[in-house]
Amino acid sequence: MQDLITTMLSDGRLAPVDADAARKLAAQADPDTPLDEAQLLRWVAERYGVRYSDLTNEKPDQRLLKRFPTRILVQYRLLPLSGEGTSVDVATSRLFD
């Protein structure tokens, strides 16, 4: 876990204050049950006020997907999940870009 936190910090994906908080979260975890990636990602999502989605259970709306150019979705690593009115919920692996 510390390697992941250090990597995210050095890549500029995690602020120093957030890295400290993540280390504390990891330290509070039961040593017999290590903190996994999903738990850390849930914490990051909560910290930055975004929704965490496990995409293995998400089914994107095919009609919504067709409304966006594939090139843009791939280039920016976006996955439109659902939409209502003028609002679209989008999944991305690049939260800070």
Side-chain angles (χ1 to χ4, degrees):
M1 176 55 64
Q2 296 302 327
D3 290 339
L4 176 60
I5 294 168
T6 301
T7 300
M8 290 177 71
L9 183 60
S10 67
D11 286 351
R13 301 296 183 197
L14 207 55
V17 67
D18 293 332
D20 291 341
R23 286 186 180 102
K24 288 177 186 171
L25 177 66
Q28 292 171 358
D30 180 354
D32 294 330
T33 310
L35 191 64
D36 64 18
E37 181 181 7
Q39 290 172 305
L40 180 61
L41 291 174
R42 282 186 179 91
W43 174 82
V44 170
E46 182 180 316
R47 176 75 171 94
Y48 289 97
V50 297
R51 187 179 107 202
Y52 170 81
S53 293
D54 179 351
L55 296 181
T56 58
N57 298 320
E58 295 280 350
K59 298 206 185 222
D61 181 338
Q62 295 299 314
R63 291 174 294 157
L64 185 61
L65 275 172
K66 290 178 184 177
R67 293 175 52 192
F68 296 92
T70 303
R71 179 183 60 79
I72 298 296
L73 297 177
V74 171
Q75 179 180 350
Y76 294 101
R77 297 183 186 175
L78 302 172
L79 179 61
L81 297 174
S82 62
E84 186 175 318
T86 59
S87 178
V88 177
D89 285 336
V90 178
T92 183
S93 62
R94 302 173 93 177
L95 182 61
F96 303 106
D97 287 347

